[in-house]
């Protein structure tokens, strides 16, 4: 069944770890701002009927679409940017797909998969099985324990959540003054299950200058 999906594309934030005067999501990758790669991919997905771009005014002109296009300003933290976008959702929207514009290589096939799982479970995210061995350490870098790799996923976006569940989850976060690092984190707080869909490693997030080199190599 087809549903009405609103997409939220997060293009706010200063990129402290990237540490560049232009925010990382607007650096050119092969003559195109990084944020436009995933914007164009979202435009290919039929069920997405509106795209809410969270962005500073000066970058709005980059985004053109045949779908309904809305611009909202973000906030200090990623969660504040998402919260602002939720206020702009069309009333008729049934699911919300949230994506980090710093992930230029999200592909249509993976996006369709996560949408399908969200329809079944109300909340789903892309992610990749942990590749490195992950250890927990103390504050002066001594090992405490090795974590079981089979239980660990590196979480990506898009994350797709049924609209009412997402709004309820975010209202809970703000009512209780909580911090979350991704959208499924809000859903978890309501003790609602989230399905993880195996994504592709190409859909990594450009976080540091090294990641930009990798993106250039891929292009
Ligand atoms: N983002 C946002 N609003 C914020 C912070 C982040 O819209 N206040 C967006 C970024 O544009 C990015 C995505 O959320 O596409 C993932 O965030 P991250 O990679 O952490 O970006 P920054 O927060 O800008 O970087 P850093 O954490 O290094 O400061
Ligand atoms: Mg951040």
């Amino acid at each position: 069944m087809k549903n009405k999906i609103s997409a939220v594309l997060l293009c706010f934030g200063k990129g402290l770890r990237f540490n560049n005067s232009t925010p990382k999501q607007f650096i050119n990758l092969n003559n195109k701002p990084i944020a436009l790669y995933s914007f164009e991919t979202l435009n290919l997905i039929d069920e997405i009927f509106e795209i809410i771009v969270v962005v500073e005014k000066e970058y709005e002109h980059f985004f053109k679409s045949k779908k309904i296009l809305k611009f909202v300003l973000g906030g200090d933290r990623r969660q504040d940017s998402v919260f602002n976008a939720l206020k702009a959702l069309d009333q008729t929207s049934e699911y919300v797909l949230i994506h980090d514009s710093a992930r230029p290589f999200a592909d249509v096939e993976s996006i369709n998969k996560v949408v399908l799982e969200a329809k079944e479970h109300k909340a789903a995210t892309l992610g990749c099985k942990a590749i490195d061995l992950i250890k927990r350490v103390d504050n002066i870098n001594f090992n405490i324990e090795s974590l079981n790799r089979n239980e660990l996923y590196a979480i990506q976006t898009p994350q797709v959540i049924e609209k009412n569940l997402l709004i309820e989850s975010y209202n809970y976060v703000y009512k209780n003054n909580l911090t979350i690092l991704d959208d499924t984190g809000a859903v978890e707080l309501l003790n609602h299950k989230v399905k993880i869909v195996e994504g592709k490693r190409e859909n990594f997030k450009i976080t540091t200058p090294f990641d930009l080199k990798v993106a250039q190599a891929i292009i």
Side-chain angles (χ1 to χ4, degrees):
M1 195 184 101
K2 290 221 166 203
N3 287 91
K4 292 189 78 176
I5 302 177
S6 302
V8 172
L9 183 64
L10 294 170
C11 307
F12 217 75
K14 301 233 178 311
L16 294 179
R17 287 170 290 179
F18 198 96
N19 192 23
N20 188 56
S21 54
T22 302
K24 62 185 182 182
Q25 60 271 25
F26 291 105
I27 293 174
N28 277 340
L29 180 61
N30 206 9
N31 295 317
K32 184 159 81 178
I34 285 170
L36 288 196
Y37 284 81
S38 54
F39 178 72
E40 287 172 4
T41 306
L42 295 178
N43 272 283
L44 297 175
I45 298 184
D46 276 347
E47 283 179 289
I48 295 178
F49 74 105
E50 65 169 352
I51 303 179
I52 300 166
V53 181
V54 186
V55 67
E56 298 273 14
K57 284 244 173 320
E58 61 177 303
Y59 300 113
E60 286 182 3
H61 66 272
F62 285 128
F63 301 90
K64 305 258 185 314
S65 177
K66 290 183 182 133
K67 300 183 190 287
I68 298 168
L69 191 58
K70 296 172 179 169
F71 296 107
V72 306
L73 287 172
D76 285 343
R77 302 166 296 174
R78 185 186 181 283
Q79 71 183 69
D80 304 319
S81 293
V82 174
F83 199 49
N84 283 356
L86 297 186
K87 295 167 195 153
L89 289 175
D90 188 89
Q91 278 217 336
T92 64
S93 156
E94 295 166 290
Y95 289 87
V96 185
L97 176 154
I98 302 169
H99 185 60
D100 296 336
S101 66
R103 298 181 185 275
F105 303 128
D107 64 290
V108 170
E109 189 197 351
S110 301
I111 297 173
N112 283 335
K113 271 194 207 163
V114 70
V115 165
L116 208 66
E117 294 295 333
K119 287 180 187 180
E120 178 151 355
H121 304 286
K122 286 198 171 191
T125 180
L126 290 175
C128 287
K129 242 186 191 333
I131 289 176
D132 293 328
L133 168 64
I134 313 272
K135 288 184 191 262
R136 213 155 65 77
V137 299
D138 66 15
N139 59 357
I140 47 170
N141 274 11
F142 285 98
N143 289 358
I144 295 176
E145 61 172 335
S146 298
L147 301 177
N148 178 359
R149 208 168 56 196
N150 293 324
E151 291 180 357
L152 295 172
Y153 263 82
I155 295 303
Q156 303 178 332
T157 69
Q159 307 200 332
V160 184
I161 301 163
E162 192 259 334
K163 185 184 73 175
N164 293 324
L165 176 62
L166 181 65
I167 290 175
E168 193 190 340
S169 305
Y170 262 83
N171 284 342
Y172 179 84
V173 165
Y174 278 82
K175 215 171 108 191
N176 295 287
N177 221 339
L178 302 172
T179 301
I180 47 169
L181 295 179
D182 74 333
D183 311 294
T184 59
V187 175
E188 286 158 14
L189 290 169
L190 294 191
N191 293 317
H192 195 292
K193 281 196 173 178
V194 176
K195 179 74 180 182
I196 298 178
V197 180
E198 189 76 44
K200 296 189 176 169
R201 289 181 75 196
E202 283 83 347
N203 184 25
F204 67 99
K205 181 162 65 69
I206 297 180
T207 306
T208 67
F210 170 80
D211 301 322
L212 183 60
K213 286 189 201 162
V214 177
Q216 277 157 347
I218 288 175
I219 285 277

